[in-house]
Amino acid sequence: VECVITAFDVTEKILETQLISRFTMMGYEVVGLLGVPSRQVRYFRLKPMRFGMLFEHYEDYFESIEGDLEKVIAPDQRAAVSRALRLETILDALREAPSYDFSFEVTTSDGRHRHKLLQFSYLDEARDTIFLCKSDTTSQYQLEHEQISRLREAKLEADQANAAKSTFLASMSHDLRTPLNGIVGFTDLALGETDPARKQEYLHKVRSSGTLLLDLVNDTLELSRIESGKAALSPEAVN
C-alpha cells in the first residue's frame, strides 16, 4: 500500500477569505490593485456581477472603465465620468490628497438607478500601485436627499414665517402710530386749552386713544405667548 501525504500552508488563503468577507460586510462590491506603469488592474469582485464572471481577474484599466461606461452610465454623463476616472485624473488628484473619491449614478439591467462610490489611494510609499474599491451608496444618497428636502421645507416655512412677521410688524407699526398720534395731539391741545370743558373733552380722547393702544400691545403680547406655547386658555361664558 502506497500513499502520499501533502501539507499546505493555508494561512494566507484563510486571511484572504476573511478579508473579502470583511469587505463584503462593509458594503464594498469590488476592490482592486491598479498598477500605474502597466495600467493593468487586478479586480477582486466580492459579488459576481453576472453569471460566469470570475471573482478575481486582470484587465486593462482603461478598457474595463470604458466597457462599464457603455453599459451602465447614462449617455449624457459618460464623458464626465470618463474624465473623472482616467488614470491621469486619478494621479493628479493623488498628488494633492492621500485619496480620491468619485460618485456616479448607474442604471441596472432592470432599470433601477443606483449610486456608486469609487475610492482610490496609493497602496504604499512606492506609489506604483493604487488600491481602489467600489461601494454602493444608494441608501446614503437617498437619506442625504431626504434630509436636504426636509431642510428646504424647513427653510421655506421659516422664510414664510419671516415674511408674515415682516408684514405683521409693518401693519402693527401703522396701527400703533394712529393712537399714539391721537395721544400726543390731544395732550398738546389739552395743555394749551383754557376752557375746562374742552380740556376735559381732550383728556377723554387721550384716554380713549391710550386704551386702544393698550389693547394693541396686549394683542401683540398674546401672539408672542401663543407662538412660544405659553398662552393660557381662560374659559368664560359668552352670548
Side-chain angles (χ1 to χ4, degrees):
V1 178
E2 295 182 357
C3 70
V4 176
I5 299 175
T6 308
F8 297 95
D9 188 338
V10 296
T11 304
E12 290 190 5
K13 189 65 177 178
I14 291 175
L15 288 175
E16 182 180 299
T17 303
Q18 291 175 340
L19 183 64
I20 291 176
S21 174
R22 180 62 59 181
F23 275 128
T24 304
M25 290 173 59
M26 294 171 64
Y28 292 105
E29 297 177 339
V30 177
V31 295
L33 298 174
L34 170 59
V36 176
S38 65
R39 295 177 178 256
Q40 291 287 311
V41 60
R42 182 187 181 191
Y43 284 118
F44 300 88
R45 297 189 185 275
L46 307 180
K47 295 178 181 179
M49 295 179 63
R50 57 181 180 272
F51 182 75
M53 175 176 282
L54 299 175
F55 281 94
E56 179 184 350
H57 65 287
Y58 285 88
E59 276 189 73
D60 177 82
Y61 175 73
F62 177 77
E63 291 179 359
S64 68
I65 293 297
E66 291 298 313
D68 286 342
L69 289 178
E70 294 295 327
K71 297 171 185 173
V72 297
I73 305 297
D76 60 335
Q77 299 178 17
R78 287 174 188 165
V81 175
S82 178
R83 285 193 300 270
L85 296 182
R86 286 175 186 165
L87 182 57
E88 290 73 20
T89 304
I90 298 169
L91 294 175
D92 288 341
L94 292 179
R95 291 190 189 99
E96 304 294 331
S99 63
Y100 171 58
D101 300 347
F102 180 72
S103 298
F104 56 99
E105 184 181 84
V106 302
T107 304
T108 60
S109 57
D110 56 1
R112 292 182 301 159
H113 296 287
R114 309 290 297 179
H115 289 266
K116 306 293 182 179
L117 173 66
L118 270 172
Q119 298 171 289
F120 303 85
S121 61
Y122 282 115
L123 186 64
D124 51 36
E125 294 298 325
R127 290 179 170 257
D128 57 2
T129 302
I130 295 174
F131 174 77
L132 65 90
C133 55
K134 184 175 77 171
S135 54
D136 190 305
T137 58
T138 305
S139 58
Q140 299 172 10
Y141 178 85
Q142 292 172 344
L143 178 61
E144 289 173 0
H145 273 255
E146 289 173 2
Q147 292 174 340
I148 291 172
S149 178
R150 286 196 292 268
L151 287 173
R152 283 202 189 104
E153 291 175 0
K155 183 179 182 301
L156 179 60
E157 290 177 1
D159 290 343
Q160 291 174 342
N162 286 332
K165 286 182 179 180
S166 297
T167 303
F168 170 74
L169 289 174
S171 177
M172 278 299 298
S173 298
H174 180 270
D175 291 342
L176 293 173
R177 190 184 298 115
T178 301
L180 275 174
N181 286 336
I183 291 171
V184 174
F186 286 120
T187 300
D188 288 340
L189 290 174
L191 290 173
E193 183 60 58
T194 57
D195 183 4
R198 294 296 297 272
K199 184 186 291 284
Q200 193 71 10
E201 179 184 350
Y202 292 147
L203 290 175
H204 279 299
K205 291 182 177 178
V206 169
R207 180 179 178 83
S208 176
S209 297
T211 301
L212 174 59
L213 180 60
L214 180 61
D215 289 340
L216 288 172
V217 172
N218 286 335
D219 287 344
T220 304
L221 293 175
E222 185 64 23
L223 284 174
S224 298
R225 284 193 290 269
I226 291 173
E227 186 178 37
S228 63
K230 297 179 180 178
L233 296 178
S234 301
E236 59 183 52
V238 295
N239 189 337

